[in-house]
Each structure stands twice: as C-alpha cells, then as structure tokens.
Amino acid sequence: MDVPSEERIACIECDLLVQVGELRGGQRAGCPRCGKTLTAPAADGLTRPLAFALAAVVLLVAANSFPFLELKAKGLDQVMTLPRTAIELYREGYATLAVLVLGPIVGIPAMMLATMLALIVPIRRRLRAPWLVPAGRLLFFLSPWSMVEVFVIGVLVSLVKIGAMASVVLGISFWAYVGFAVCFTASLSSLDRLELWREIEACAS
C-alpha cells in the first residue's frame, strides 16, 4: 500500500489535526500549538521496541517469581511477593482492592507487552494477521491505565518511611521490577504511533 505524502494526525495533548509529511530517521514532527512530539520515526524501525519488550517480559516473570521485600522488626520476619500482596488482600475480603493493586502494576503491563509482541512480530515478518488493527487499538487504550512508574516511585517513598521502623531487605523481585519498569517504558517510548499504524495498514493491504 502506498503511503500518502501527507497525513493528518491528531495531537494527543490538544487534539489539533496536523498534516505530517514523509519523515526520515532522526526527524521529528511536533504540534504547532502545544509543542508535543507527534511522530519521530527511528532508523531501526521496530527493532528497538521489540528488544525492550522481550527484555521486559523476562524481567516481569522474574519480578513475580522471587521475594520483593523482606521486613524484619522486633523478631518478626515478613517476606512479601507481588502475587502474595493481592492474595492476602483477597483473603481479607478486599477482592476489588486486590484487582486494583495488581492490575495496573502487573496485569495491564503484561497485556500491553503481549499486545506489542502480537503486533511487532507479524509486522516484521510481513504477515497478514486479522488481529493487527484491534491489537493496535487495545495497546493505546491500555496505555493510560498502566501504573508501572507510579508504583516504583511509591515503593521508594514507602521504603524511606518503613526504614525508620523496620529493617528492609530488597529482594531479587524488587530489582527485577525496576529493570522491568525501565525496559517497559523504553519499549513504549520507542514505539512511534504513526509509524506503527502505517505498518499495520501496509500489512492489512
């Protein structure tokens, strides 16, 4: 499918429709009203988002498989894992809170990573897959609901307060999740929305 020389794209910040022409690797197109970057195609295409997404998958699995924190205070020793946090809330009768806690920090990011892989792999292999358009819409719909960075910052702030009351030992899961947060954020930031939809349309044609 031939890509038109100019396309209209809506700014995600101010909703202004902007005409965007052909860009080369390293060039950027910005919104004339608010200055938000609209598109910045990379020379390596989808290679970088795919690499970061695969690394994020491995780190997310590790983050849910090992102890996250170990608290020691007055002879008591408590080990916490990410899944156990939601399980304990569910056992106490807070099923909704358990979903709200684990969903934005594990569930939704996992869905986004699976969606990214379901998009990038067929596109790179030039395969016509019927799920490309719905998957693209799902990816950008879920993006505002991911709270990965917020969770990491919240944990760091909590550690400062808890450290005055108990001895805190950071587990493998904590460092794995921090690495996951970095790779997850990098995979999304390196995925250009306009270029992705162009690739989806090319595979669908």
Side-chain angles (χ1 to χ4, degrees):
M1 176 180 177
D2 295 332
V3 179
S5 59
E6 287 193 348
E7 293 175 306
R8 287 182 177 270
I9 181 174
C11 176
I12 61 175
E13 291 291 335
C14 65
D15 291 330
L16 179 67
L17 285 176
V18 182
Q19 283 189 339
V20 179
E22 290 293 336
L23 299 177
R24 299 177 181 177
Q27 292 182 321
R28 294 174 179 267
C31 176
R33 177 189 290 171
C34 66
K36 176 71 176 179
T37 298
L38 301 176
T39 179
D44 54 0
L46 298 175
T47 302
R48 184 178 299 178
L50 178 60
F52 279 122
L54 291 174
V57 170
V58 175
L59 291 170
L60 182 60
V61 172
N64 286 273
S65 304
F66 298 97
F68 191 83
L69 291 175
E70 183 178 0
L71 302 177
K72 299 180 180 180
K74 299 180 180 180
L76 299 177
D77 192 351
Q78 182 71 32
V79 178
M80 184 188 74
T81 64
L82 290 178
R84 184 178 176 181
T85 303
I87 292 173
E88 292 298 327
L89 288 172
Y90 179 79
R91 288 178 178 175
E92 294 294 328
Y94 301 102
T96 303
L97 185 59
V99 173
L100 292 176
V101 168
L102 201 61
I105 65 174
V106 175
I108 292 178
M111 290 177 60
M112 292 178 65
L113 287 173
T115 304
M116 286 183 64
L117 295 179
L119 281 168
I120 297 176
V121 173
I123 288 174
R124 283 176 56 85
R125 300 183 65 181
R126 293 302 173 186
L127 299 177
R128 297 185 63 180
W131 62 79
L132 290 180
V133 173
R137 292 172 179 170
L138 178 63
L139 176 63
F140 295 112
F141 171 77
L142 292 175
S143 183
W145 300 97
S146 173
M147 301 294 176
V148 174
E149 304 92 337
V150 176
F151 175 69
V152 172
I153 295 174
V155 169
L156 295 177
V157 173
S158 300
L159 288 177
V160 175
K161 297 182 179 181
I162 296 175
M165 301 179 291
S167 176
V168 180
V169 179
L170 302 178
I172 297 176
S173 175
F174 174 83
W175 299 110
Y177 195 90
V178 172
F180 157 73
V182 173
C183 291
F184 179 76
T185 304
S187 66
L188 290 178
S189 62
S190 59
L191 187 65
D192 187 80
R193 183 188 296 252
L194 179 59
E195 288 300 309
L196 177 63
W197 280 113
R198 284 176 172 174
E199 294 289 349
I200 291 175
E201 291 176 359
C203 288
S205 61

